[in-house]
Structure formats: C-alpha cells, structure tokens
Amino acid sequence: METYVVTEITSSGVGLAYFNRPEAYNALNTAVIRQLVAALADFDADPQVRAVVLTGNEKVFAAGADIQEMSSLTPMQLFAEARFALWDRIATTQKPLIAAVSGFALGGGCEVAMMCDMIVASESAKFGQPEITLGIIPGAGGTQRLTRTVGKALAMEIILANRWLNAEEALAHGLVNRVVPVSNYLEEAIALAEKIASFSPVAVQLAKQSITAAWQTPLTEGLRFERHNFYLAFASEDQTEGMAAFLAKRTPHWQGK
Ligand code: HXC
C-alpha cells in the first residue's frame, strides 16, 4: 500500500502530517483519507503530541476528492459505504489542528482545510470549490463551513460561480489566520502549533471544544457548554498549577491532567 500520508512528531510536541500523492496533486482518494484519519487518531492518542499541523507541498495542499475514483460511483455505493462518515472524523480530532496551505486547496481539499481549527496560508494559496464544474456540489461540509465563515453572498459566488479566493482574499474574508511567504509557511504553522503546545493540554482541548460548539449550537447551548468546560478546567491539576505559578511569579509546569 502506498504511503499517502507521511507523519512525524517534532521535539516540541507537534504532530506533522503531510499529504504525499504529488503525482495526482494530492487528490484525496479513499486510501488518502483513511491514512489521514488513522494518523490523526494516533496523534490524539499520543500524549507527546500537543498540536497537529496538516500540510501538502508548496504547489498543492490538495486538489480535491479523486475525480477518477468518484467518476463511476453510484448513490447506493456512497450510501452503503457511508463514505463521508470517514471524512467527518477529521473534524472530530481532539487536539488543535492547523492546516498549512500552499498552492491549490480545491473541492475536498478546501473542505479538509476548513475542518481544521486554523489555516496558515502561503502567498500562493488558492481556495475554491470547483465541484459545480463537474456537475456536483461540495459534499464534505463545503456549503456549510464556507457559508458560516465567509458569509452567504461570497459562498454563493465561490460554489455556484467557481470563484477562487487567493490568499489575501481568504485573509480578508476570515477563511485563514495569516498569509506568509511560500518560503516559510510551514515553519510559521509549526511555530503557531508550538505556541499552543506550550499551554495546558487540558485547557487547550476544553477551549477548542467550546469554540467548536459555537459553530454547532444556538448561543444558549454554546454558553452552557462553555460554562461546563470552564468548571471542568477547575478539576485539572493544570488549573491549580497555572494559578499557583502566576501568583508565585514563576513559569507553570503543565501535567496535562
Ligand atoms: C484526480 C487529479 C485531481 C483530482 C488533479 N489531478 N486534481 N486527479 N482528482 N481532484 C491530477 C490530474 O489528473 C493530473 O494527472 C495531475 O493531477 C496534475 O493536474 P493538471 O490538471 O495536469 O495540473 P494543472 O494544469 O496545473 O491544474 C491544476 C488544477 C487541476 C487546477 C488543480 O488539476 C484541477 O482543476 N483539478 C481538479 C480540481 C477539482 O475539480 N477539484 C474538486 C474535485 S470534486 P495526470 O495523470 O494527467 O498527470 C471534490 C468533491 C468533494 O473534491 C466531495 C466531498 C468528498
């Protein structure tokens, strides 16, 4: 079996996953998605890993779901395989997940980037949902996540008229966190992940869960969720340590429990 997703763990606790199917512009066939989901599950289970960066290469993050593989699919195959349930698991990653995007992030590639918590874009990044040109529509959350992020009018244009956003446009519309030169977009994403990795892993995950709830629930529910996670933070040794360290004017030593 080909290795379509390469992983490594840095000494500072950042898990790195690279799409590695360059000959097909990292087109996301089932094997790629399976390997990505497995890599993210391994990172979630590894206490050494405190934050994760997902990337492609300088030219392409991912040019979408594999059109070759999709071309002969029937609705019953999609139904029987619950194909997108696998994709959904990317968005349930517990640890903070940062996409480092350079070049094309199209179709399913753009959708995977939007499943991540943050996006660091290189100056060459291009975001689009070209499914309409194939006679289909986005199927891994694109119509929902893009609309919530950039608003209805622009989402309509991107999805119905195949309008692509360059990196600066993506920044202006809140799709990405920052735009950096191609030469160091990955370093910048890793530095952001390392910054997160320097804080209490418990507090980081509670905060991520709470922000994610803001997407998925009405305000009253989201506030209730935040309140519970706030209370839960006080069950952690990291809360005791963090506050004691502040009061003693020293650096906290996080235990992740
Ligand atoms: C399969 C793909 C592919 C894809 C590129 N390739 N994208 N193969 N699925 N999504 C392959 C090409 O067939 C080609 O292989 C090689 O990668 C390089 O692509 P070129 O087209 O020759 O390169 P270029 O002219 O530079 O154009 C780059 C590109 C273009 C603009 C990214 O490849 C393109 O438009 N790709 C499709 C983008 C797209 O429509 N994505 C949405 C897919 S639908 P060979 O063997 O010829 O060298 C989708 C639905 C998601 O994502 C639903 C939820 C799961």
Side-chain angles (χ1 to χ4, degrees), residues 171-190:
L171 182 66
H173 292 285
L175 184 60
V176 308
N177 291 66
R178 61 188 76 168
V179 178
V180 290
V182 177
S183 55
N184 64 330
Y185 74 99
L186 186 55
E187 286 72 17
E188 187 88 5
I190 293 170

Side-chain angles (χ1 to χ4, degrees), residues 59 61-62 101-107 109-110 113-114 119 121-130 142 145-179:
K59 262 178 58 182
F61 178 73
V101 175
S102 190
F104 301 109
L106 300 174
C110 186
M114 290 191 291
I119 302 177
S122 89
E123 283 167 350
S124 77
K126 290 174 245 339
F127 298 87
Q129 298 286 162
R145 291 196 176 90
L146 189 64
T147 306
R148 286 171 192 224
T149 304
V150 305
K152 175 186 149 188
L154 186 56
M156 287 282 185
E157 193 177 334
I158 292 168
I159 294 171
L160 274 58
N162 191 24
R163 153 102 185 265
W164 293 9
L165 298 186
N166 64 29
E168 285 303 330
E169 290 169 327
L171 182 66
H173 292 285
L175 184 60
V176 308
N177 291 66
R178 61 188 76 168
V179 178

Side-chain angles (χ1 to χ4, degrees), residues 64-97:
D66 189 314
I67 298 169
Q68 181 74 41
E69 187 186 73
M70 272 189 304
S71 60
S72 57
L73 279 177
T74 67
M76 278 300 112
Q77 269 174 302
L78 287 164
F79 178 73
E81 289 173 18
R83 176 170 290 241
F84 294 158
L86 190 64
W87 291 64
D88 287 344
R89 283 162 55 183
I90 299 165
T92 65
T93 304
Q94 286 182 319
K95 294 185 178 165
L97 179 56

